Amino acid sequence: VTVKFFGPLRGNTESDQKVIITENEPIRTVVERLSIDPQIWYLYSVNGQHVKADTQLHDGDILMIIPPISGG
């Protein structure tokens, strides 16, 4: 799986990172393995579709992790 980071997450790691997963591993498990705070509400996208943290990943997927955005 290729993981793409945005916003403040991008500053903590490379912008794209390859992650080896077991088939059907949920996003929340990958987030925990990457040491990303699971208490923060993130938006997730897999292959261009918005998904929930319990969505299962598959070989070749592109996961985007988007942190909360504020402003006005």
Side-chain angles (χ1 to χ4, degrees):
V1 170
T2 299
V3 181
K4 295 181 175 271
F5 300 95
F6 294 89
L9 291 174
R10 187 174 226 173
N12 296 338
T13 183
E14 297 176 26
S15 60
D16 293 358
Q17 186 173 354
K18 295 278 186 183
V19 177
I20 297 173
I21 64 163
T22 58
E23 190 67 17
N24 298 321
E25 186 170 352
I27 292 171
R28 78 174 73 255
T29 304
V30 173
V31 168
E32 289 170 5
R33 280 201 289 139
L34 294 171
S35 299
I36 296 172
D37 185 352
Q39 300 302 314
I40 297 176
W41 184 81
Y42 294 99
L43 291 177
Y44 302 106
S45 174
V46 175
N47 304 325
Q49 300 293 318
H50 290 284
V51 296
K52 296 182 180 187
D54 59 354
T55 298
Q56 297 176 342
L57 296 168
H58 306 282
D59 187 39
D61 281 347
I62 298 173
L63 168 63
M64 294 190 291
I65 303 175
I66 307 161
I69 301 170
S70 65

